[in-house]
């Protein structure tokens, strides 16, 4: 495997070639990187011209800190973190066998869920513990499937030229295929800022419920809240988990253990997606859905359906960026 290709994008003859084809020096990667957040670059340029700033690094850092995008990312990260702590604490405080038994025995819909998810021979105390856990696992599974849908959609359709979403949303996916390690050079806020925005409203609503609802009403929605919290947690961490799956040096031991246990996306597992033409294993949160979706031919069925309706060819824009030489 070529040194500049630690994620194994290439194989056979391409992998034996000494000419670098993937990475930050790729023509397409350079052009895509230039399209990133011009407002940030303008702000940096203004600050670089100010004589009282001592060093270039200091100027760029100050400009980045002041840019609107960076500020928005910081606000989302902090808000999201606070809401997670509040809701998780409330969920722990409201966790009691009585509540769960009420749910399992008293409410028809929840009873049906419990029957599907938990075998009837389990004692109610075990059920009280296992059912919230199972609902949390279901939340993780949903987050993984959602990550696959978004990733597949952005990889397969549309182009960087589409107004607004092209540069903001599709550009990073195109860049990621031709320069997979660029993600490892993003700091925590840049990596997670956008995803932290997604769960803010549902988490704020959950916190409001914990502060205003009666304990009976909270007991009735306890399992749903476990599901929503796990879903929100894994949606928020998707980019971080994806970044870890591309990091081959300096990962904390607890992260590599979570990868080895397949609680989060393992590195070897994600490499399957990064073999050109990047047409499988789109799920990047836990990766649990990848094998079954692949076996079902899920993505190919979806692509055939969309191609029939719209006439668009899947991955045409992605392929054009990969082949760019000037
Ligand atoms: Zn991809
Ligand atoms: Zn990747």
């Amino acid at each position: 495997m070529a040194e500049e290709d630690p994620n194994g994008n290439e194989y056979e003859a391409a992998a034996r070639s000494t000419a670098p084809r993937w990475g930050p020096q790729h023509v397409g990667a350079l052009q895509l990187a230039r399209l990133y957040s011009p407002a940030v670059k303008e702000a940096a340029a203004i600050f670089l011209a100010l004589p009282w700033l001592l060093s270039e690094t200091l100027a760029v850092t100050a400009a980045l800190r002041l840019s609107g995008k960076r500020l928005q990312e910081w606000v989302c990260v902090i808000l999201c973190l606070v809401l997670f702590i509040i809701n998780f604490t409330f969920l722990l405080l409201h966790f009691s066998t009585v509540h769960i038994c009420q749910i399992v025995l008293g409410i028809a819909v929840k009873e049906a869920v419990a029957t599907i998810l938990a075998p009837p021979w389990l004692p109610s105390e075990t059920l009280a513990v296992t059912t919230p856990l199972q609902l949390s696992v279901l939340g993780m599974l949903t987050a993984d499937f959602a990550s696959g849908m978004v990733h597949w959609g952005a990889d397969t359709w549309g182009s960087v030229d589409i107004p607004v979403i092209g540069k903001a949303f599709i550009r990073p996916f195109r860049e990621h295929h031709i320069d997979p390690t660029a993600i490892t050079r993003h700091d925590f806020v840049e990596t997670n800022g956008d995803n932290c925005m997604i769960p803010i409203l549902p988490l704020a609503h959950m916190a409001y419920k914990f502060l205003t609802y009666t304990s009976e009403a909270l007991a009735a929605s306890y399992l749903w809240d476990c599901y929503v919290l796990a879903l929100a947690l894994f949606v928020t961490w998707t980019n971080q988990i994806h970044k870890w799956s591309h990091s081959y040096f300096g990962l904390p031991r607890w992260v590599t253990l979570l990868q080895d246990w397949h609680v989060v996306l393992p590195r070897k597992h994600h490499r399957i997606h990064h073999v050109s033409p990047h047409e499988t294993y789109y799920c990047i949160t836990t990766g649990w859905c990848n094998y079954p979706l692949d076996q079902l031919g899920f993505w190919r069925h979806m692509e055939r359906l969309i191609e029939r309706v719209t006439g668009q060819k899947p991955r045409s824009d992605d392929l054009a960026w990969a082949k760019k030489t000037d």
Side-chain angles (χ1 to χ4, degrees), residues 144-145 148 280 283 288-299:
D144 192 47
F145 179 69
T280 189
C283 301
W288 297 344
C289 297
N290 281 325
Y291 182 74
L293 290 178
D294 196 50
Q295 291 300 301
L296 288 169
F298 180 77
W299 306 116

Side-chain angles (χ1 to χ4, degrees), residues 190-201:
E190 187 179 347
T191 306
N192 301 293
D194 287 339
N195 276 40
C196 280
M197 203 180 347
I198 303 167
I200 285 178
L201 273 181

Side-chain angles (χ1 to χ4, degrees), residues 26-289:
H26 184 288
V27 175
L30 288 168
Q31 289 178 17
L32 286 163
R34 274 199 290 275
L35 290 176
Y36 174 66
S37 192
V40 172
K41 284 187 180 166
E42 275 164 28
I46 293 164
F47 267 85
L48 284 169
L50 297 177
W52 60 82
L53 282 169
L54 294 173
S55 73
E56 193 174 298
T57 322
L58 200 67
V60 173
T61 313
L64 284 172
R65 276 189 187 145
L66 282 177
S67 78
K69 170 79 177 142
R70 185 74 174 168
L71 187 69
Q72 171 226 309
E73 286 170 351
W74 265 107
V75 170
C76 290
V77 167
I78 292 168
L79 212 59
C80 201
L81 199 71
V82 171
L83 285 167
F84 268 119
I85 293 169
I86 292 172
N87 286 314
F88 186 65
T89 312
F90 274 126
L91 270 182
L92 283 182
L93 288 174
H94 284 85
F95 180 83
S96 75
T97 312
V98 177
H99 285 151
I100 306 302
C101 285
Q102 275 177 351
I103 294 160
V104 174
L105 299 171
I107 300 158
V109 178
K110 296 292 188 318
E111 199 176 35
V113 172
T115 316
I116 295 162
L117 294 170
W121 43 264
L122 268 183
S124 57
E125 299 80 43
T126 320
L127 210 59
V129 179
T130 53
T131 313
L133 249 174
Q134 284 165 331
L135 265 290
S136 304
V137 170
L138 205 62
M140 291 165 70
L141 206 63
T142 313
D144 192 47
F145 179 69
S147 76
M149 286 295 283
V150 173
H151 185 177
W152 165 79
D155 269 8
T156 314
W157 311 105
S159 98
V160 175
D161 301 323
I162 295 175
V164 190
I165 65 156
K167 282 194 186 68
F169 181 69
I170 294 175
R171 187 204 66 82
F173 288 89
R174 299 289 175 273
E175 185 187 37
H176 185 59
H177 285 176
I178 44 187
D179 184 8
T181 48
I183 191 174
T184 62
R185 297 188 287 275
H186 299 165
D187 67 20
F188 183 83
V189 173
E190 187 179 347
T191 306
N192 301 293
D194 287 339
N195 276 40
C196 280
M197 203 180 347
I198 303 167
I200 285 178
L201 273 181
L203 289 179
H205 178 247
M206 197 190 287
Y208 170 79
K209 267 170 49 179
F210 279 124
L211 292 167
T212 57
Y213 280 24
T214 61
S215 19
E216 287 74 31
L218 286 173
S221 71
Y222 191 87
L223 288 179
W224 172 250
D225 291 333
C226 290
Y227 172 77
V228 172
L229 196 79
L231 172 62
L233 186 72
F234 276 79
V235 165
T236 305
W237 282 88
T238 294
N239 275 350
Q240 184 64 46
I241 291 169
H242 183 205
K243 180 182 167 180
W244 286 333
S245 79
H246 283 281
S247 305
Y248 283 79
F249 314 98
L251 280 183
R253 180 86 183 114
W254 63 271
V255 172
T256 53
L257 278 177
L258 287 177
Q259 289 176 330
D260 293 346
W261 297 334
H262 211 143
V263 177
V264 299
L265 187 70
R267 287 173 286 192
K268 262 190 177 172
H269 182 98
H270 185 51
R271 273 163 68 162
I272 299 171
H273 174 70
H274 275 277
V275 173
S276 185
H278 309 89
E279 58 182 0
T280 189
Y281 277 47
Y282 293 100
C283 301
I284 49 170
T285 306
T286 59
W288 297 344
C289 297

